[in-house]
Amino acid sequence: MSYIEGYASGCPECQKEAEAEASAARAAEYQRLAVKAKLRDAGIPARFALATLESFVADSRDQKDALKAAMKYAADFSEALVHGRCLAFVGPPGTGKTHLAVGIVREILAQGHSALITTVGDYVREIKDQCWGKDKESTESVVIAKYRAPDLLVLDEVGVQFGSQTEENLIFTLINKRYEDLKPTLVISNEVEDGLEKYLGRRTFDRLKDGGGLIIPFPWESYRG
Ligand SMILES: Nc1ncnc2c1ncn2[C@@H]1O[C@H](COP(=O)(O)OP(=O)(O)OP(=O)(O)O)[C@@H](O)[C@H]1O
Ligand SMILES: [Mg+2]
């Protein structure tokens, strides 16, 4: 029965029932809008608006293992927060690394945690554009605080551009601050594990693996085209 029908019938029980229904519908709509706003604020790129753990097709053994690891990480995220447990997805282009990371972000947002997705390029550019030079609008601490705050930070495209010492230092600063706060970081890279260690530097790589941090390989063909 709709709220209008319940109200029109004049029966007090029906009215109560209809009011409860209308109130539940309002709460569900409020919840839906709140999740939508959180997804937008998490920086999920438009291409991945529909990417979820459920929509990830896993045919091979390796794909099933990667999906299982992603599902477990999302399900146990409260525990990952206690230990500051990180995760890394490594593999060639188009293998669904960003897709699975977005799936994890969705799950943990629904659990009430906070998350942010960015790329190394965007993070470093934000620091350089906003904090360096004479017309600077911000400070490194302010920009770093933004990336330090969320419960989960997804740092995508690690190792895509030439890794300068400055870039290595900026990534170390961010991952180290998060490490000190026991806040997990999910790193995504086209490098293999050794290449990732080389690019990030030993100190950052060590922090990623501390507390049970896992490196998940994506060793299959591109899903694109
Ligand atoms: N196993 C899969 N099931 C369903 N869709 C997939 C799967 N793998 C990839 N896709 C889709 O293919 C496209 C490419 O995937 P994605 O961008 O996540 O790859 P990637 O590993 O992050 O690549 P890159 O290293 O180039 O950034 C996306 O649209 C993604 O949703
Ligand atoms: Mg990607």
Side-chain angles (χ1 to χ4, degrees), residues 55-74:
S55 65
F56 184 83
V57 179
D59 293 325
S60 70
R61 177 84 268 153
D62 286 333
Q63 285 173 323
K64 284 180 181 146
D65 286 348
L67 176 59
K68 216 162 121 190
M71 288 170 99
K72 183 159 169 45
Y73 190 78

Side-chain angles (χ1 to χ4, degrees), residues 41-120:
D41 294 347
I44 293 178
R47 174 169 295 280
F48 297 94
L50 301 175
T52 60
L53 296 179
E54 290 74 25
S55 65
F56 184 83
V57 179
D59 293 325
S60 70
R61 177 84 268 153
D62 286 333
Q63 285 173 323
K64 284 180 181 146
D65 286 348
L67 176 59
K68 216 162 121 190
M71 288 170 99
K72 183 159 169 45
Y73 190 78
D76 297 345
F77 188 71
S78 296
E79 206 195 312
L81 260 180
V82 173
H83 302 283
R85 185 179 304 138
C86 295
L87 193 64
F89 290 161
V90 297
T95 47
K97 301 179 297 297
T98 303
H99 181 126
L100 271 192
V102 167
I104 291 175
V105 164
R106 265 178 218 288
E107 292 289 324
I108 69 154
L109 289 179
Q111 291 167 19
H113 299 293
S114 55
L116 186 61
I117 301 181
T118 192
T119 63
V120 167

Side-chain angles (χ1 to χ4, degrees), residues 21-209:
E21 229 174 67
S23 160
R26 271 196 305 274
E29 178 62 5
Y30 178 77
Q31 170 73 2
R32 193 186 68 77
L33 291 174
V35 169
K36 202 173 157 195
K38 277 171 89 176
L39 288 171
R40 188 199 54 223
D41 294 347
I44 293 178
R47 174 169 295 280
F48 297 94
L50 301 175
T52 60
L53 296 179
E54 290 74 25
S55 65
F56 184 83
V57 179
D59 293 325
S60 70
R61 177 84 268 153
D62 286 333
Q63 285 173 323
K64 284 180 181 146
D65 286 348
L67 176 59
K68 216 162 121 190
M71 288 170 99
K72 183 159 169 45
Y73 190 78
D76 297 345
F77 188 71
S78 296
E79 206 195 312
L81 260 180
V82 173
H83 302 283
R85 185 179 304 138
C86 295
L87 193 64
F89 290 161
V90 297
T95 47
K97 301 179 297 297
T98 303
H99 181 126
L100 271 192
V102 167
I104 291 175
V105 164
R106 265 178 218 288
E107 292 289 324
I108 69 154
L109 289 179
Q111 291 167 19
H113 299 293
S114 55
L116 186 61
I117 301 181
T118 192
T119 63
V120 167
D122 283 348
Y123 161 62
V124 171
R125 213 168 302 122
E126 196 171 331
I127 298 254
K128 287 183 178 170
D129 290 353
Q130 295 196 7
C131 316
W132 296 2
K134 60 178 183 352
D135 297 325
K136 61 180 188 170
E137 306 155 32
S138 190
T139 64
E140 284 186 24
S141 329
V142 169
V143 175
I144 288 168
K146 170 179 144 189
Y147 293 102
R148 185 178 175 172
D151 296 331
L152 179 68
L153 176 73
V154 177
L155 197 53
D156 205 347
E157 295 180 11
V158 174
V160 164
Q161 61 214 74
F162 171 70
S164 66
Q165 190 59 48
T166 307
E167 197 171 297
E168 187 181 318
N169 290 344
L170 286 174
I171 296 171
F172 174 75
T173 304
L174 178 57
I175 290 183
N176 187 47
K177 292 282 182 215
R178 293 185 56 82
Y179 175 79
E180 286 172 356
D181 296 346
L182 288 173
K183 293 227 170 125
T185 305
L186 196 174
V187 162
I188 303 179
S189 179
N190 289 140
E191 301 285 341
V192 291
E193 184 168 338
D194 283 356
L196 182 63
E197 177 170 5
K198 221 173 186 174
Y199 175 85
L200 286 175
R202 188 72 204 274
R203 292 182 308 159
T204 304
F205 191 73
D206 259 16
R207 282 160 176 75
L208 286 182
K209 292 190 86 174

